Structure formats: structure tokens, C-alpha cells
Amino acid sequence: MSELDNLRIFRARFLFENNVPDHTDDVFDELNKIYKNINLNTSENEYEINIEDLKYGDEIPKLHIGKIISETNDIDEITLGQMWDVKNPKDIIEKCKYSISFYDSTPIETDYTDRAGMLMDLIESMLKIYSECRAVYFENSGKLLQREQILNSNSKREERYISYSVNVRYFSIPDTGEMIIDTLGMSTLLLPDLQYHFKVMNPNYVFSHAYNLLQYIYNNRNSIHTGETVDGILDYYIDKNVQWECRFEDSLLKPLRPVIDVNMGDYAAGKRQ
């Protein structure tokens, strides 16, 4: 399986400090408040929830919930260093010795908004039932959020996927003054991630720009094309008088995936064709 194929399978882990009872039947009941035509299948190692409401042709979306396991920490230091949304992420990871794994095998043709909604419905349903859950680790993007951050979020339904499961990463290139900010998580929905290669500008402003542009891409079904421009940043704010050119490229950083490279004009770094 290629890196890109792997990214297209949504994966998450629900993290616990202690072993907990199995509440999958209750999770199913919670989802049944949203989707009326679903069923639950049980195997030795996992549960499978089929949501026929979102059936595409003969294919039915399948959500796979693993049974709780104890495992060693396999999250590398680079990934830990890109967890911006919680304090002391390493401490949370080290304390949580148990986890429930989750992945989906949704038909690739399924509308991405349906898929994103279904995935976030499952995340929220799990967290409502498993009050013992400390945090959720989104494997596709390396993002970590505590249970309360998700359940207390004010994100609208169409904003949840990006708010919860897409990560914005930051890298500084030694001895050059250059920086790269990119995103991880959009490839799961067959949408492009973003990439900024720049200098001088405060990276916090680029973080904000990235999240705004990701939401635009999601809301508008990726209506950006190579050579088109988006509003850039002037005096710390997004300003329509500044236009940054966009171009589809392969990512500079791993995992290799399609990105929209945003040319930041006077702040741009690196070579572009």
C-alpha cells in the first residue's frame, strides 16, 4: 500500500489511562439517533457498524471499532512535536496505556461531506459514551485532542472534520531563515492539503490562513485551480488586496501527497517553476 493509499483510510485511537468496560452497544444506540438504517456486526477482534443511509451503489460504509487493547507507545518524537492543541502531549500519551482503535472502509466514491460527517459523528458518539477517554489521537494527521476539546467545541457540523482531525505542521529549515507550514488530513477525503514555503512572516499568521483556506476548499469542493490566487496577509490580517498564487504540486515533506502550494509573494522562499 502506498503512502497516499494509507492516508485515505481514516484511523484514530481513543486513549485511556485504565482498562474500561466495552460500551460499543451504547455507541451504536447513540449513532442510531442520527442514522436510522444501520446495523452492528461483531467479530473476535472488532465491531463493525454499517450505515446503509450512506450506501453508494452496492457498497455500504463500514466503521470498524477495535476492542480495547494495551499497547506500547509507537508515536515518534517528530509527530509529538507537531501536537499543538494540547499541553504536554507526551505526558498524555505516556499515561494512556490502553486504547480503542477505529478505522473506516468507506467506498472511495462516497461524497466526502457525507464521509466526514459520518466519521465525526462516530468520534463524538464514542466520546459521549466513554467518559473515561482521555484523548483522541488522529493517526492520519498526527493531531491529538482531549475529550473535552471535542465535546465542548463550538464548531459547526461542516467545520468539525478540519477542526478535529486536520493538523497544521511547522518546520524551520536550519541556517536559512526559511520555514515550511503544511497540513495533514485532507487526503483522507481526496482533497488537497496545503503547503507554504516562506521566510520572515510570523508563522502564527500562516497557521490561521491555512485553516481558513482549508475550510474554503472543503465548503467549495476544491474549486481552486493551478494559477488562481487567494487572499493573502497584510498587516497580520487576510486582505483581498494581497493575492497569493496557488499551484498543485507534490508535497515537499513526507508523507508524499498532493498539495496546493501557496506562493506567498514577497515572503515566498524556495524555487518554484
Side-chain angles (χ1 to χ4, degrees), residues 197-248:
H197 187 186
F198 64 102
K199 55 190 176 183
V200 180
M201 182 174 283
N202 186 325
N204 289 321
Y205 306 143
V206 185
F207 265 71
S208 178
H209 189 277
Y211 274 116
N212 277 282
L213 185 51
L214 287 173
Q215 195 62 56
Y216 175 86
I217 290 169
Y218 183 95
N219 292 346
N220 293 277
R221 297 186 173 274
N222 186 27
S223 60
I224 298 173
H225 300 91
T226 287
E228 294 183 339
T229 61
V230 296
D231 295 345
I233 297 174
L234 178 66
D235 295 333
Y236 323 123
Y237 298 100
I238 295 176
D239 192 315
K240 65 181 181 180
N241 294 310
V242 177
Q243 292 296 300
W244 289 346
E245 185 176 357
C246 297
R247 186 169 299 276
F248 278 82

Side-chain angles (χ1 to χ4, degrees), residues 43-235:
S43 67
E44 182 179 353
N45 297 317
E46 67 179 24
Y47 299 90
E48 179 184 277
I49 296 176
N50 301 334
I51 301 183
E52 295 193 24
D53 302 55
L54 303 181
K55 183 177 179 180
Y56 186 90
D58 294 329
E59 298 292 329
I60 300 172
K62 298 178 176 63
L63 304 176
H64 304 266
I65 304 171
K67 297 183 178 178
I68 196 160
I69 58 173
S70 175
E71 61 184 23
T72 57
N73 177 19
D74 59 354
I75 302 174
D76 60 74
E77 291 293 330
I78 294 176
T79 301
L80 283 169
Q82 298 292 336
M83 292 177 174
W84 311 109
D85 299 275
V86 298
K87 294 181 179 179
N88 303 316
K90 189 172 183 178
D91 180 65
I92 294 174
I93 297 295
E94 289 179 346
K95 286 183 178 179
C96 292
K97 302 298 184 183
Y98 298 86
S99 69
I100 295 176
S101 61
F102 162 59
Y103 74 95
D104 81 307
S105 53
T106 302
I108 199 169
E109 300 88 353
T110 301
D111 182 89
Y112 72 82
T113 59
D114 287 342
R115 185 184 182 199
M118 173 187 66
L119 294 171
M120 296 306 103
D121 288 339
L122 186 281
I123 295 290
E124 291 182 350
S125 296
M126 289 285 290
L127 293 180
K128 288 176 183 177
I129 300 302
Y130 283 94
S131 59
E132 307 92 340
C133 181
R134 176 80 183 275
V136 182
Y137 170 52
F138 295 89
E139 295 187 46
N140 297 64
S141 65
K143 192 167 189 173
L144 184 72
L145 289 178
Q146 295 187 82
R147 177 178 182 270
E148 292 76 15
Q149 288 176 279
I150 294 176
L151 292 184
N152 296 334
S153 171
N154 293 321
S155 296
K156 299 176 182 177
R157 185 173 178 83
E158 66 272 15
E159 298 171 345
R160 294 181 306 167
Y161 181 84
I162 290 171
S163 177
Y164 298 172
S165 64
V166 176
N167 200 18
V168 178
R169 307 187 302 175
Y170 169 78
F171 300 91
S172 177
I173 303 174
D175 304 320
T176 66
E178 297 181 4
M179 295 166 275
I180 295 176
I181 280 179
D182 71 357
T183 71
L184 264 180
M186 296 293 277
S187 295
T188 306
L189 302 182
L190 305 185
L191 294 173
D193 277 298
L194 300 177
Q195 174 177 281
Y196 303 77
H197 187 186
F198 64 102
K199 55 190 176 183
V200 180
M201 182 174 283
N202 186 325
N204 289 321
Y205 306 143
V206 185
F207 265 71
S208 178
H209 189 277
Y211 274 116
N212 277 282
L213 185 51
L214 287 173
Q215 195 62 56
Y216 175 86
I217 290 169
Y218 183 95
N219 292 346
N220 293 277
R221 297 186 173 274
N222 186 27
S223 60
I224 298 173
H225 300 91
T226 287
E228 294 183 339
T229 61
V230 296
D231 295 345
I233 297 174
L234 178 66
D235 295 333

